[in-house]
Amino acid sequence: MKKRIFIGCSSSNDIPEKYRDDCRHLLEELFKKENDLVFGASANGLMGLSYNVALNNKREIIAICPKAYQKDLDDIECIEILTNNISERTDKLIELCDTLLFLPGGIGTIYELFTAIESKRNNEYDKPIIIYNCHNYYDEWLKVMDKIYEEKFSKTSDKNSYVVVDSKEKVLDIINNN
């Protein structure tokens, strides 16, 4: 079944190569299937890798870009959607996808991840949120989340809003079976 996958990830080219190598294998498997890409419109970093793998596999690509970064669209070929700001972009990313997959990323990725979790927690949608913890990238974030749950700042049941996996096979299994 064809799905639109939002991929939240880094747009930095300066990340360690181990993340790029690991994610490349996952993305190649993901886009061999009838999955399309929804992403934040950058040709750099893991975001650019996602774009290139989807493009090479002739997948539909939807780039959602705030006006402040409109110039990024010059470097990619896709369906383009402009938003007024980052929060509108994040809402549109969530709206247009069937599944949300988070690879290693920076502040923007974490913002999108928290927005996705909070929106799902508040019953705004019911789409899978998958956090790919490749090379233990999200371990420290998970410790912060555990403290939030342990000290009852959020309900432990909120953990059900997302799934954290550390293997490419598990990511693909979740996407293929939802």
Side-chain angles (χ1 to χ4, degrees):
M1 182 175 141
K2 186 174 184 170
K3 294 180 183 173
R4 285 183 174 168
I5 311 297
F6 163 64
I7 299 186
C9 57
S10 174
S11 62
S12 170
N13 286 326
D14 296 328
I15 64 172
E17 195 61 33
K18 66 183 179 182
Y19 297 110
R20 192 177 328 276
D21 290 342
D22 191 271
C23 290
R24 177 180 293 109
H25 294 112
L26 169 61
L27 294 164
E28 287 170 353
E29 289 301 314
L30 182 65
F31 291 118
K32 278 182 189 175
K33 305 251 185 223
E34 289 192 19
N35 296 311
D36 295 326
L37 173 64
V38 177
F39 81 127
S42 175
N44 297 313
L46 294 177
M47 206 180 298
L49 177 63
S50 300
Y51 165 76
N52 285 315
V53 172
L55 186 67
N56 290 342
N57 282 279
K58 298 177 177 36
R59 298 284 137 228
E60 178 180 79
I61 300 169
I62 301 172
I64 304 171
C65 184
K67 290 178 183 173
Y69 295 105
Q70 186 172 357
K71 190 172 172 119
D72 288 350
L73 293 171
D74 294 345
D75 298 328
I76 54 180
E77 298 174 29
C78 58
I79 298 168
E80 300 174 3
I81 299 174
L82 281 177
T83 62
N84 290 313
N85 54 51
I86 294 291
S87 60
E88 280 182 23
R89 177 182 81 166
T90 303
D91 290 345
K92 198 67 162 171
L93 291 165
I94 293 169
E95 175 190 332
L96 292 180
C97 74
D98 299 306
T99 300
L100 296 93
L101 172 58
F102 291 91
L103 306 178
I107 294 169
T109 304
I110 299 300
Y111 169 79
E112 292 163 346
L113 175 57
F114 272 122
T115 300
I117 292 170
E118 181 66 2
S119 296
K120 184 172 181 179
R121 195 176 72 83
N122 284 290
N123 300 310
E124 294 176 22
Y125 69 90
D126 189 29
K127 301 172 184 181
I129 299 172
I130 305 165
I131 302 166
Y132 181 39
N133 192 24
C134 82
H135 297 284
N136 303 308
Y137 181 80
Y138 283 102
D139 282 0
E140 296 304 314
W141 179 84
L142 290 166
K143 287 179 186 176
V144 171
M145 296 305 290
D146 284 343
K147 182 172 181 139
I148 288 170
Y149 300 129
E150 288 167 10
E151 296 190 5
K152 309 224 184 295
F153 285 95
S154 286
K155 293 182 236 169
T156 304
S157 61
D158 291 341
K159 282 185 182 183
N160 297 328
S161 298
Y162 55 92
V163 62
V164 180
V165 299
D166 59 5
S167 78
K168 297 178 279 288
E169 295 76 21
K170 184 68 174 163
V171 170
L172 295 167
D173 184 54
I174 294 167
I175 291 172
N176 292 333
N177 294 311
N178 271 315

